[in-house]
Amino acid sequence: MRPPDRPIPREMRIVVVQPNQEPPPETIVRGRCWVVDGDTIVIDKMHIRLAGIDAPELDHPWGRQSKWTLVKLCKGQTVTAHIKPEMSYDRLVAQCFLPDGRDLAAELVKVGLALDWPKFSGGKYRHLEPADARKKLWRASLRQGGVMWPSDDMLPAVRPPEALPVERPHAAANRRSSKRNYRVGWLIVSGFLVLLAGCHLAGRGTDDGNVPVGTRQEASAFPRFRVTANALNVRAAPAASATVLTQIAGGTSVVPTRMSGSWYGIEIADGRTGWVHGSFLSRLEE
């Protein structure tokens, strides 16, 4: 049939729409990897960043532990990287899996050596974080909030908040601090030893090493006592574990010359001071 001489009205025209092209297939890279840090690996000379997480830098707290944990996970394994279209600086971004299906990013977050980065993951790994992960990896947490903690070289006088761990100072400052702490520590220890010695001396008598100060009295100041035990042990010191010097027969009258707690000091035949416990003495009426 010949086409009509007059043009077809617009409302009667049939528009043929070509289907869109299929999206390019996802790029997948497999192979043994070399670990750079807690969230970066190298496969076939391609630097790949683990998608959706943030691990501490090597010079940050827990940075080396994060790297070596990733090394243990990948050792002897063939890693499969599903490359994403975005880039992170000069690195590709990918979800990386072990042969058994484990997600490397998820494994690091589980052990508290990486944090979920909701800006890029949509909160995919947040539920895997241990309770103290963000306190432990505080620098990575600050970085996610847009705060870059200054290095020691930039601000040597800046100290982090008390709730955050203190970064390692310069070697020279560290040596000065160590020497100062060493001197202060020795002063404290010396003062404590002097205090102990003073307390020890304050608890000793002037004539007998086992008699407390202030307890020596003249014989007339003590009443006369009678021994109530059949045979009373006289000890070298006011303690039940002290050496027995001699014994006193029951009914013997004694006059103490000093006192230490419940113990009374009496003079024995050889002129030494012996100690008897007050529970075996009965006061005699004058």
Side-chain angles (χ1 to χ4, degrees):
M1 298 178 60
R2 294 176 57 188
D5 297 335
R6 292 181 300 176
I8 300 175
R10 181 181 300 272
E11 59 271 13
M12 296 179 61
R13 297 176 185 174
I14 299 175
V15 179
V16 178
V17 179
Q18 296 291 335
N20 293 331
Q21 294 182 353
E22 294 182 0
E26 184 180 29
T27 303
I28 297 178
V29 177
R30 289 189 180 89
R32 299 290 181 89
C33 72
W34 177 63
V35 176
V36 178
D37 55 28
D39 55 19
T40 306
I41 61 175
V42 178
I43 301 177
D44 292 337
K45 299 182 180 180
M46 291 185 293
H47 282 66
I48 300 172
R49 193 188 196 285
L50 303 185
I53 65 168
D54 187 20
E57 302 295 336
L58 292 178
D59 59 340
H60 290 180
W62 301 96
R64 294 189 178 275
Q65 291 89 330
S66 179
K67 172 184 175 178
W68 287 108
T69 298
L70 187 57
V71 169
K72 292 179 181 178
L73 286 170
C74 298
K75 186 176 181 179
Q77 304 285 347
T78 298
V79 177
T80 301
H82 295 254
I83 307 297
K84 293 180 174 293
E86 62 265 22
M87 294 282 290
S88 174
Y89 297 100
D90 59 342
R91 297 172 292 180
L92 299 172
V93 178
Q95 279 189 285
C96 300
F97 300 92
L98 295 173
D100 59 4
R102 286 182 294 167
D103 186 344
L104 289 179
E107 295 301 313
L108 284 173
V109 174
K110 285 180 185 177
V111 296
L113 293 174
L115 298 177
D116 173 64
W117 200 327
K119 178 180 178 181
F120 302 104
S121 70
K124 177 179 179 180
Y125 304 108
R126 186 58 183 264
H127 69 285
L128 300 176
E129 291 183 5
D132 62 340
R134 293 197 170 258
K135 182 179 179 180
K136 182 170 70 173
L137 307 181
W138 59 275
R139 291 192 68 161
S141 182
L142 287 177
R143 180 168 54 194
Q144 291 185 15
V147 179
M148 298 300 294
W149 192 264
S151 64
D152 293 332
D153 292 332
M154 296 171 59
L155 292 175
V158 173
R159 295 180 59 190
E162 293 182 0
L164 303 178
V166 179
E167 285 294 294
R168 182 180 299 174
H170 290 304
N174 191 23
R175 287 194 296 270
R176 290 195 298 270
S177 177
S178 298
K179 291 180 180 179
R180 182 169 60 254
N181 293 339
Y182 181 82
R183 290 194 295 268
V184 172
W186 266 112
L187 287 175
I188 294 173
V189 172
S190 301
F192 183 72
L193 293 176
V194 170
L195 179 62
L196 285 180
C199 292
H200 182 67
L201 292 176
R204 299 176 65 90
T206 56
D207 295 328
D208 194 320
N210 298 302
V211 183
V213 173
T215 60
R216 180 178 178 88
Q217 301 183 28
E218 297 298 330
S220 60
F222 285 98
R224 184 179 295 274
F225 291 92
R226 179 175 59 85
V227 176
T228 59
N230 293 331
L232 179 59
N233 290 330
V234 180
R235 299 185 180 274
S241 59
T243 305
V244 176
L245 300 178
T246 184
Q247 288 186 336
I248 301 177
T252 303
S253 176
V254 295
V255 178
T257 60
R258 61 193 67 184
M259 182 178 180
S260 176
S262 299
W263 292 82
Y264 292 90
I266 62 174
E267 290 187 3
I268 58 179
D270 59 2
R272 290 183 294 173
T273 298
W275 293 87
V276 293
H277 198 271
S279 59
F280 301 106
L281 300 178
S282 176
R283 180 172 178 174
L284 296 174
E285 297 296 334
E286 296 295 336

